[in-house]
Every structure is written in structure tokens, then in C-alpha cells.
Amino acid sequence: MEDQKPKNTLFQMRLPIFLALAVICGIFIGAAMSKKGSEQNIAGNYLRFAEILNYIQQDYVDTVDVDKLVDYSITQMLEKLDPHTAYIPARDRQIADAQLESNFEGIGIEFNIIKDTIYVVSPISGGPSEKAGLMAGDKIVKVDTIQMAGNGVTSADVFKRLRGPKGTKVLLTVKRKGSAKLLTYTIIRDKIPTYSIDAAYMIDKTTGYIKISRFGDKTYDEFLEALNDLKKQGMQRLMIDLKDNGGGYLDRATNIADQLISGNKMIVYTDGKGTKYDQEFRARIAGAFETGPVVVLINEGSASASEILSGALQDNDRALIVGRRSFGKGLVQMPVTLNDGSQLRITISRYYTPSGRSIQKPYDKEDASAYDSDLLARYQHGEFFHADSIRFNDSLKYETSKGRTVYGGGGIMPDVFVGRDTSEYTKYLMELFNENVIREYTLNYYQENKAILSKMTYEEYFKSFVVTDAMLKDVIALATKNGVTYNDVQYKRSKSFIQNNVKAYIARSAWGNKGFYQIYNQKDEIYNKGLSSFKEAAKISE
């Protein structure tokens, strides 16, 4: 048999040139990046990688998508660095950048892809998915008739299937934890107004409340508008709700801090390799609310920019922090756009609060599993419920500007700890949420009573609307229809919480997020503890 001599491809013909350039560039890069060139043979590694790619392209038995191989190898390499350095292929850039845009058209969810499975991180407040009943943690297994789980799904695939013109429909099949059957939702796409201030209102005659869901491109403008509006209504003390705020743009967080912190005080600083990426962010303007008590609410879902804002206010004794220990994301990524349109988001430094605390929680470069399961570990050893379950190393003890003790080691530990309230949380209540019973009921109720509700002001609804026992019987009946077995003892424990949620979700349909949070917060343990902590907040800011 004659030897098969394959024809050279354009890639193969250009390869010697690429290799020569790689060697030359590698030499210069190696010299620039390493104090001892012999210790980092970048040129040699460059050549070895290109050589392997060439053999795969030329001789491997099956047809191979070399671009996908390169993407995979880069991703695997970066996993050995830290949990937040990432590579985003060009095809995924639009989706990644859209997370913090002020609006787009689609179904309105934030998502992650983990092991070929689409997880709903959060339905965007006020968007079609939230109204339909999608919940954080849901796994999207099918979009229309297209299987979306276990088949190498990418962010580009999700973008293609879920986004689309306003008014078009999409059918989602969802797997929800605790539910044996798959759930289906028909969602009508809409313009997604990604406001980052979910609600701003006066709790009482002197207390203002602002909930920030993320730090997007318009967050600072929205915050300043809300702050000034509340001041006009007589606000003398302020509650900022950062619970479950996963972060966003650094400068939006520091600008908000600057509205609350006086003088030239430190807000946050970064420390990287050498001094190239070292920065200090200080207060620089006369802020709109530099005096008056401030309470900030955080929990385990508060991360990154949320931790920068709460850490700055805590270390400068400008606010009392109430809730549970925050997530612990304190690594700074610099976006580097590559020649093909892809992007490297490389960690260049760490964030530190004014007292010198590192926000970043520990991680093992060789094993990401412990980092990924950190919140589950906190839950299992009781940190979500009891402050004494948290152990701090004395070597990580720091002091605020007035000498109060605070701790580093990952995340922001609140001044006032609030454990999860388990008295009303029953298995029956969880099944109502898992089967989407309360949201389904309230959407139906709103549609059936829209004419009556439209004649009411929100103030009338807030003060006088009562979720009756007859309404609750209908909720129970719907739950039974959806496969939730009634449990009288657990129902009675959860009754007050169910009533509050029913009233809040009806209000969301009629008056949006402002109407929702003003009612929903009445049963939120962190909110209520924060509201009773303003005297202490006033003392630390004197």
C-alpha cells in the first residue's frame, strides 16, 4: 500500500511562520516577565503547544475543531490560577458584557453554565421570568423543543435561544430541586429594564430604604436620584439593602461610598504584583448624605462591589453592618481584549478595606471544589443560624477608624449578626415555593381582580388589604392540585409567612418592586433587625 501523503492546508503552510514569530515573541515576553529568563521558558512552551496542535490538525484520525481545543486548554490552564481569572471566547462576549447593561430584550435571567447545565442564578427583578415564576437554582433542561442539558451547551447557545424580540414566546422546561417532575413555563419576551435599584421608599417619616440588586452601568445615577428623592421626603437616616447583590462595576460602588463618607478618607485600595496595579480610592466630593445614621444589610450572597461598599462604610465607622457574613470575593480582574475578539479577565490585584482587611476568602489553586461549595459548608456547620459557629483567627483582627474590632479572612462580618429564622420555614412552605404555588396563585388572583385593584392606591392596599382564610384555602387547593401534600401542623407554623408572600406578590403585579419590597420586608429578619439597630448606628457615626 502506498503511503498517504496529505495535502498541506493553509494552516500548515503558515505554521513555520507562526512558530518563528512565537519563538521570537516568547523570548521577548519571557525576558520582560521574568527576572531569570532560564526559570520561565515561555518560548519553549509556546513552541511545544503549537507543535502539538499541528500534529492534531495534520495527523489525528478524526476531524477536530482546533478552536474549541484551544479554548478548552486555555480554560483548564486558568483554573490553576484562582477562582475568578477567566477566558471568554469571542462568541460569548456579547452575553458576558450584557450582564451589566441597562436594558435588552429577552426573558430576563442571570445564569451560569456548570457541567453542561444551565443554572438560573437569579431572575431579573420585574422581568418576564420572575413574573412567570422561575427561581434561583432552577436548571433549564429544554428551550422549546431543543435539549439544553448535557450536550456541550454554551453561553452563546443560551443567548441564541432565550433572547429575542419583545412579544415572542419561548417554552422552558425546568428541573427544580425538591420537585420530582419537570416544570414548564411559557414566557413572553419583553424589554428587560435592568434597573439596579429595585426599590426606594420611606419606611417611616425619617427612615429611607434603598435596595441595590447589582452595580451596573446606571447604578450610581439611580442611587443618587433615589437618595435625593428620599431626602426631599424628610429622610434623616438611611438603610441600604445589599443582600444577594453579587457586585458589578467597582467605580459605581466607590462613588456611592463617596456620597456617604466625608473628607479624603480611604474607601478601598488594591495591591498587586509590584506597583503597576496598586490603586487607592478615596472620598473626594461633598456627598449628599455624609451625616445621619446608616444601616447596611448584607448576607452570604453579597459579593465583590457590595463588600467594597459595606467594608468601606464599616471601617470608616460610617454605617452599622447587619446580617450574615458576605461571600468573600476580593480579587480584581482586568479585562484584556485579544486579537480575535475574545477576552481574558485576569486577576491583577486584591481588594483591601481601609483597615487593611482582605475581602477574598481562602482558595486552593489545585482544588476548586472547596471554594465552590463554601456556602454549603457554612450552612452545614451552622454559620447561617448562629454567630458562635464562626471562628476568627486573632492574626486577622483589625480596627476601624474609631477602634472597633473587625476581622479579615474572607468576606465582611456584620457588626450585628442575624441568623436565619427557622420558626416559620417548614417543609410544606418549601414545597409551596418549589412548586411555584404562591406565585401562580397571585398571578391568577391579580388577573381575576385587576379591575378592583386598579381602583385602589398602593397606600390603601398596604394598610387595608387582608389575605383572608378563604384565599389561603384556594392556595392550599392549588398546592394539592400541584402535588403538594397538605400538612396542617406545618401550614399553621408557616401561615403568617404565606399570607405576607401572597400580599407582596399581588402587590408586585399591581405596583412593581416598590410595592413588593415594602410588604415582603415585613417578614425579613435581617431587615427588621436593621430597623431596630439605628440607635447603635447613630452611636458609631457620631
Side-chain angles (χ1 to χ4, degrees):
M1 180 180 293
E2 292 184 358
D3 292 337
Q4 296 294 317
K5 187 175 182 180
K7 295 180 180 180
N8 287 334
T9 64
L10 183 61
F11 172 83
Q12 293 162 0
M13 289 187 288
R14 291 179 175 175
L15 186 63
I17 300 174
F18 293 157
L19 293 179
L21 289 174
V23 172
I24 295 170
C25 290
I27 292 171
F28 282 107
I29 293 172
M33 294 181 65
S34 175
K35 294 180 180 179
K36 297 181 179 180
S38 60
E39 295 178 358
Q40 294 185 356
N41 187 8
I42 294 177
N45 289 329
Y46 233 5
L47 181 61
R48 179 156 53 104
F49 185 71
E51 190 175 9
I52 291 172
L53 276 182
N54 181 53
Y55 277 115
I56 292 172
Q57 175 82 2
Q58 180 173 317
D59 298 324
Y60 186 70
V61 62
D62 296 323
T63 302
V64 174
D65 187 330
V66 176
D67 287 340
K68 285 187 176 180
L69 277 182
V70 172
D71 287 349
Y72 177 78
S73 63
I74 293 172
T75 300
Q76 293 296 300
M77 174 179 65
L78 297 182
E79 285 183 359
K80 296 296 183 181
L81 300 181
D82 67 76
H84 300 291
T85 291
Y87 169 73
I88 303 171
R91 62 181 178 274
D92 297 339
R93 278 284 305 283
Q94 187 177 7
I95 303 99
D97 293 342
Q99 296 292 330
L100 298 174
E101 290 176 357
S102 54
N103 61 70
F104 57 90
E105 291 183 354
I107 70 167
I109 62 167
E110 297 175 11
F111 67 90
N112 274 338
I113 298 175
I114 303 173
K115 295 182 179 179
D116 288 343
T117 301
I118 306 166
Y119 285 79
V120 177
V121 175
S122 176
I124 293 176
S125 297
S129 290
E130 185 182 54
K131 291 177 181 177
L134 254 64
M135 298 173 62
D138 284 348
K139 303 175 185 179
I140 299 175
V141 297
K142 189 183 291 186
V143 177
D144 293 323
T145 60
I146 307 299
Q147 194 73 24
M148 298 294 287
N151 60 350
V153 65
T154 66
S155 295
D157 297 327
V158 180
F159 181 83
K160 179 181 178 181
R161 301 294 176 190
L162 298 187
R163 292 202 175 178
K166 176 181 177 179
T168 57
K169 293 182 179 180
V170 61
L171 177 66
L172 299 187
T173 303
V174 168
K175 179 73 176 73
R176 178 169 295 159
K177 186 177 181 180
S179 177
K181 61 183 180 181
L182 295 177
L183 309 175
T184 58
Y185 297 93
T186 298
I187 301 175
I188 301 174
R189 296 182 179 95
D190 201 351
K191 193 81 171 179
I192 308 301
T194 56
Y195 300 112
S196 48
I197 303 296
D198 279 351
Y201 61 86
M202 293 295 291
I203 300 173
D204 53 40
K205 291 182 179 180
T206 60
T207 311
Y209 169 88
I210 299 176
K211 178 169 180 58
I212 309 175
S213 61
R214 64 191 168 282
F215 292 90
D217 57 351
K218 300 293 184 183
T219 301
Y220 176 65
D221 296 334
E222 293 175 36
F223 177 84
L224 197 54
E225 181 180 353
L227 186 68
N228 287 326
D229 182 58
L230 293 175
K231 286 176 63 180
K232 290 176 183 177
Q233 296 179 57
M235 180 181 71
Q236 297 175 23
R237 55 188 199 174
L238 172 64
M239 178 183 290
I240 301 175
D241 190 343
L242 299 178
K243 299 192 308 297
D244 297 313
N245 181 324
Y249 292 120
L250 166 66
D251 63 337
R252 275 58 166 190
T254 57
N255 286 342
I256 288 173
D258 200 358
Q259 289 293 332
L260 307 171
I261 296 173
S262 62
N264 187 40
K265 297 171 184 173
M266 180 75 73
I267 294 174
V268 68
Y269 68 90
T270 64
D271 184 31
K273 183 184 291 184
T275 59
K276 183 177 181 181
Y277 298 114
D278 294 355
Q279 286 184 285
E280 288 187 355
F281 297 84
R282 291 181 173 273
R284 55 187 174 78
I285 63 172
F289 197 73
E290 292 184 348
T291 59
V294 178
V295 166
V296 175
L297 311 182
I298 63 171
N299 66 2
E300 57 279 353
S302 307
S304 191
S306 294
E307 297 171 296
I308 290 169
L309 176 56
S310 55
L313 296 174
Q314 185 179 48
D315 282 6
N316 282 295
D317 292 296
R318 181 65 192 94
L320 187 76
I321 312 301
V322 177
R324 291 186 290 275
R325 182 163 65 102
S326 62
F327 180 83
K329 196 275 186 186
L331 298 176
V332 186
Q333 284 72 51
M334 177 179 70
V336 180
T337 301
L338 307 179
N339 289 333
D340 67 344
S342 59
Q343 188 178 82
L344 173 65
R345 295 185 178 178
I346 184 170
T347 297
I348 56 171
S349 56
R350 288 180 170 83
Y351 291 122
Y352 292 87
T353 69
S355 67
R357 291 182 289 165
S358 171
I359 295 171
Q360 180 63 39
K361 61 187 176 183
Y363 59 89
D364 183 349
K365 293 181 179 181
E366 298 301 323
D367 181 14
S369 59
Y371 188 87
D372 293 339
S373 60
D374 173 63
L375 294 185
L376 177 60
R378 295 192 204 182
Y379 176 85
Q380 290 175 338
H381 74 241
E383 180 178 326
F384 289 175
F385 306 97
H386 308 287
D388 57 9
S389 297
I390 307 169
R391 296 287 182 268
F392 291 107
N393 191 326
D394 283 342
S395 66
L396 299 175
K397 185 184 292 186
Y398 297 83
E399 288 188 352
T400 67
S401 60
K402 294 183 179 178
R404 293 188 303 129
T405 298
V406 290
Y407 288 91
I412 301 298
M413 184 63 191
D415 302 304
V416 179
F417 176 84
V418 183
R420 284 187 177 179
D421 182 4
T422 59
S423 61
E424 292 182 305
Y425 283 81
T426 63
K427 182 180 178 183
Y428 183 73
L429 177 66
M430 292 302 101
E431 289 180 350
L432 292 183
F433 286 134
N434 287 339
E435 295 300 324
N436 214 41
V437 172
I438 292 176
R439 292 191 180 184
E440 182 179 347
Y441 171 80
T442 55
L443 286 170
N444 292 337
Y445 184 93
Y446 173 71
Q447 292 298 329
E448 293 170 4
N449 297 273
K450 193 173 183 179
I452 297 173
L453 291 166
S454 65
K455 295 177 182 178
M456 301 175 66
T457 65
Y458 177 72
E459 287 70 24
E460 290 171 337
Y461 178 88
F462 181 81
K463 292 178 181 178
S464 63
F465 186 87
V466 176
V467 177
T468 64
D469 286 340
M471 293 172 66
L472 291 177
K473 285 182 180 179
D474 290 339
V475 172
I476 294 170
L478 180 61
T480 303
K481 180 181 177 182
N482 288 355
V484 179
T485 302
Y486 179 71
N487 184 304
D488 188 62
V489 173
Q490 293 182 10
Y491 165 74
K492 287 177 179 176
R493 277 180 56 193
S494 302
K495 181 179 178 181
S496 176
F497 195 91
I498 295 169
Q499 285 178 306
N500 175 266
N501 272 253
V502 169
K503 184 173 180 178
Y505 280 107
I506 292 172
R508 167 166 276 172
S509 296
W511 292 281
N513 276 332
K514 177 183 176 182
F516 172 79
Y517 281 105
Q518 203 161 348
I519 296 169
Y520 181 83
N521 281 339
Q522 293 179 320
K523 298 294 288 185
D524 185 286
E525 62 268 20
I526 295 179
Y527 173 92
N528 286 315
K529 186 63 177 179
L531 195 55
S532 66
S533 300
F534 271 103
K535 286 185 179 180
E536 190 174 347
K539 289 180 182 178
I540 68 169
S541 61
E542 288 176 349

